[in-house]
Amino acid sequence: MKKLYIKTHGCQMNFYDSDRMTDLLKPLGYELHDNGDEADLIVINTCHIREKAVEKTYSELGRIRDQALLRKENTGKKTIIVVAGCVAQAEGKEIMRRSPWVDIVVGPQSFQNLPELIAKVDPIEKNKLINIDFPIIPKFDDLKSDISERGPSSFLTIQEGCDKFCSFCVVPYTRGSEYSRPVKSIVDEAKKLIDAGAKEITLLGQNVNAWSASGSDHKVWGLGRLINELAKIKELKFIRYMTSHPLDMDTELIEAHRDIEKLMPFLHLPVQSGSDNILKLMNRKHKVKDYLKIIEKVRKYIPKIAISGDFIIGFPGETDKDHQETIELIKEIEFSQAYSFKYSIRPGTPAAVFLDQVDEKAKNIRLQEVQNILKEQQFEFNQKSINSNIKVLVLKNGKKDNQYLGRSPYNQSVFFNNDKENLIGSIVNIQVSEAYQNSISGHIA
Ligand code: SAM
Ligand code: SF4
């Protein structure tokens, strides 16, 4: 077997793609390894969403060159180096210019061509290959490889791309326009994932709730209807989805949360800002009151649902007043957990040329303030779990002896001890006794 090392950056969709690349390369004799020192093939699956993520790619490529040179010196063997993902899509040839030791650059919509590209790599290292097409046949139709052993929780991409063009975001340019996979291809893959060991599936999409396709009744289905179909698969025990957009939050999906026990009570619904002025500049096409209305409705249907979100802090033009409005919104919603990022200029996006960029110092102070409140809310949410009895899917061993780690229905990490059996993949009832900042713990009830 040849050794494959994949380093994945960024969102869950990249992790899904990396798993699919592993499946795709297996028939070529590549087996996944956990370090690149002796790898025959190294893939970096990259993220372009913020500047930091892009810089990470280039510094990592420097390390990989050293690894590959050392291996060549020691063994005489060439390491094939591939850059995949959104940096590959956005930077294309620039990667080869800055890092000429890279052999292949392949975009997120064309990695299904990796086997052919690898076959064309010239051992004398003259052949540099770039494939960043948006193919007419979506990559899923070409991804026919078997799915190898997975853990108890798996990702399944059902929707890709975005047509919303928020003024700060690179996704519409790196992942292309919105595409929804057909129902049959999703259901078939869900069954394969279950055969490979999954008990929980998280449906993924840049705007997962924009998913829509023709169903078995020839009517147009939305995400709620799809989840209903997937819930019929007996061996599938937990269903999650992310990331959703406020504009695509329909009643059918909210009802699915109320009616389908397998659908977990957790909603990741980014709002980005609590100021209507900023939302307008962001081209979000929703207002703060629209977001509040959705959350009110969701909580009316499912009172205990956990709400998560994303915030961009220091967007161009953000005043102290706008920032205070974001703080007020956070206080009003009470998130169970949420992500907050400093605005990062992305070349080629409209906001990159907005004149009133917020200075770094103000961004840092505002981010700290937002993160402190979000942290408090997360801790309070975790504390409310104490004394409750929750169903937990056991995902892996913890770092300590006899410790297991699982996930609660509300997407909290759950630790517990058990010294007897191998419980990975089982579903246990945990009586919660302690709460921490990022997790809760307890014992099997
Ligand atoms: N489609 C989802 C939505 O609109 O709510 C979000 C998907 S986006 C890939 C993930 C998150 O990255 C966004 O919610 C946003 O908070 C963050 N993000 C995107 N562009 C950014 C930028 N230029 N600077 C900082 N954060 C950014
Ligand atoms: Fe990016 Fe989400 Fe806006 Fe699309 S909707 S442009 S993915 S932030």
Side-chain angles (χ1 to χ4, degrees):
M1 292 301 275
K2 290 176 272 187
K3 289 182 179 162
L4 164 69
Y5 174 65
I6 304 190
K7 178 78 202 219
T8 310
H9 298 294
C11 65
Q12 288 85 354
M13 298 187 68
N14 267 8
F15 282 86
Y16 169 85
D17 286 348
S18 293
D19 280 346
R20 295 312 319 262
M21 285 184 222
T22 310
D23 295 337
L24 190 69
L25 295 171
K26 205 173 173 189
L28 270 69
Y30 285 101
E31 195 169 64
L32 198 60
H33 275 251
D34 55 10
N35 77 71
D37 291 341
E38 293 164 26
D40 298 281
L41 175 62
I42 298 183
V43 179
I44 325 185
N45 197 0
T46 59
C47 171
H48 198 257
I49 201 86
R50 281 170 290 274
E51 192 183 359
K52 249 191 197 164
V54 179
E55 282 317 310
K56 217 169 165 181
T57 299
Y58 284 108
S59 57
E60 193 148 46
L61 278 173
R63 276 199 303 278
I64 288 173
R65 175 197 50 192
D66 297 345
Q67 250 173 351
L69 281 175
L70 192 68
R71 178 168 181 258
K72 184 124 197 216
E73 250 173 53
N74 292 341
T75 65
K77 288 182 187 165
K78 173 177 167 55
T79 305
I80 299 175
I81 300 171
V82 178
V83 180
C86 293
V87 176
Q89 189 66 44
E91 309 245 317
K93 275 190 188 151
E94 176 66 6
I95 296 175
M96 298 293 195
R97 195 190 63 77
R98 280 181 68 174
S99 314
W101 53 93
V102 170
D103 297 289
I104 297 172
V105 171
V106 68
Q109 305 307 340
S110 37
F111 70 76
Q112 69 281 15
N113 301 316
L114 263 180
E116 292 100 89
L117 294 171
I118 289 168
K120 283 186 196 154
V121 167
D122 183 340
I124 313 160
E125 301 179 25
K126 278 182 298 197
N127 253 356
K128 301 285 173 196
L129 300 158
I130 302 185
N131 187 336
I132 49 174
D133 301 341
F134 286 109
I136 296 166
I137 300 173
K139 72 175 176 207
F140 301 102
D141 293 2
D142 271 349
L143 280 172
K144 299 236 160 55
S145 48
D146 285 344
I147 288 183
S148 39
E149 183 82 7
R150 296 280 201 271
S153 177
S154 265
F155 294 131
L156 199 178
T157 294
I158 62 165
Q159 182 277 337
E160 280 222 63
C162 179
D163 295 336
K164 294 195 168 62
F165 290 92
C166 297
S167 61
F168 52 81
C169 184
V170 289
V171 168
Y173 313 97
T174 54
R175 291 266 174 175
S177 55
E178 255 174 46
Y179 166 77
S180 294
R181 282 178 78 176
V183 175
K184 186 174 177 319
S185 122
I186 296 169
V187 173
D188 287 352
E189 189 168 319
K191 288 179 179 163
K192 282 190 194 170
L193 288 169
I194 289 160
D195 290 344
K199 297 248 168 69
E200 168 178 275
I201 289 181
T202 303
L203 306 173
L204 298 179
Q206 260 92 25
N207 285 296
V208 71
N209 57 342
W211 178 90
S212 139
S214 172
S216 50
D217 54 3
H218 304 292
K219 288 188 179 149
V220 177
W221 288 8
L223 181 60
R225 185 69 186 77
L226 175 70
I227 290 171
N228 192 46
E229 189 68 16
L230 289 169
K232 291 179 189 160
I233 306 175
K234 200 169 144 251
E235 301 82 357
L236 177 58
K237 304 295 180 193
F238 299 102
I239 304 173
R240 300 175 188 270
Y241 63 93
M242 65 169 40
T243 296
S244 303
H245 193 286
L247 288 181
D248 297 309
M249 210 55 220
D250 64 11
T251 304
E252 193 180 43
L253 180 56
I254 302 174
E255 284 173 351
H257 270 289
R258 182 195 59 193
D259 301 336
I260 302 172
E261 213 189 316
K262 290 180 179 182
L263 179 57
M264 293 297 98
F266 175 79
L267 174 64
H268 181 213
L269 193 68
V271 58
Q272 313 298 357
S273 171
S275 152
D276 280 341
N277 291 338
I278 297 299
L279 289 177
K280 191 154 186 240
L281 290 169
M282 286 177 164
N283 192 31
R284 286 290 289 182
K285 300 190 187 92
H286 61 78
K287 293 193 170 170
V288 173
K289 73 168 184 339
D290 303 321
Y291 187 81
L292 287 169
K293 254 194 199 157
I294 297 169
I295 300 299
E296 192 190 346
K297 183 165 174 181
V298 167
R299 283 184 164 151
K300 198 170 129 206
Y301 279 61
I302 320 106
K304 284 170 88 179
I305 196 164
I307 305 291
S308 165
D310 291 353
F311 291 90
I312 294 184
I313 308 302
F315 185 79
E318 186 189 76
T319 61
D320 275 337
K321 182 171 171 286
D322 296 318
H323 172 63
Q324 281 316 316
E325 286 176 4
T326 298
I327 302 272
E328 277 160 33
L329 176 68
I330 295 174
K331 287 185 176 162
E332 183 160 356
I333 299 284
E334 296 187 1
F335 290 91
S336 68
Q337 60 187 78
Y339 302 96
S340 49
F341 315 98
K342 265 192 292 183
Y343 168 69
S344 169
I345 295 180
R346 305 314 300 122
T349 59
V353 292
F354 288 2
L355 294 177
D356 37 5
Q357 300 287 333
V358 175
D359 76 69
E360 225 22 52
K361 196 169 155 219
K363 274 194 208 171
N364 284 332
I365 294 170
R366 288 177 191 171
L367 181 71
Q368 198 57 55
E369 199 183 342
V370 163
Q371 290 190 337
N372 286 344
I373 300 171
L374 289 172
K375 264 180 157 178
E376 269 172 35
Q377 293 189 346
Q378 184 176 10
F379 186 51
E380 274 167 28
F381 185 86
N382 287 345
Q383 276 185 316
K384 282 186 197 147
S385 305
I386 294 180
N387 293 328
S388 64
N389 189 308
I390 48 173
K391 232 192 221 180
V392 170
L393 174 64
V394 186
L395 299 175
K396 55 183 181 182
N397 287 113
K399 286 192 180 128
K400 298 182 186 155
D401 282 350
N402 302 328
Q403 191 184 46
Y404 286 99
L405 171 66
R407 188 179 295 132
S408 83
Y410 308 101
N411 211 31
Q412 299 150 293
S413 295
V414 185
F415 289 96
F416 65 96
N417 284 331
N418 190 281
D419 56 359
K420 291 196 185 91
E421 310 144 75
N422 176 11
L423 292 172
I424 295 169
S426 30
I427 295 161
V428 293
N429 280 313
I430 296 291
Q431 180 71 25
V432 181
S433 52
E434 307 273 350
Y436 313 95
Q437 177 60 53
N438 297 313
S439 62
I440 51 179
S441 69
H443 57 272
I444 294 185

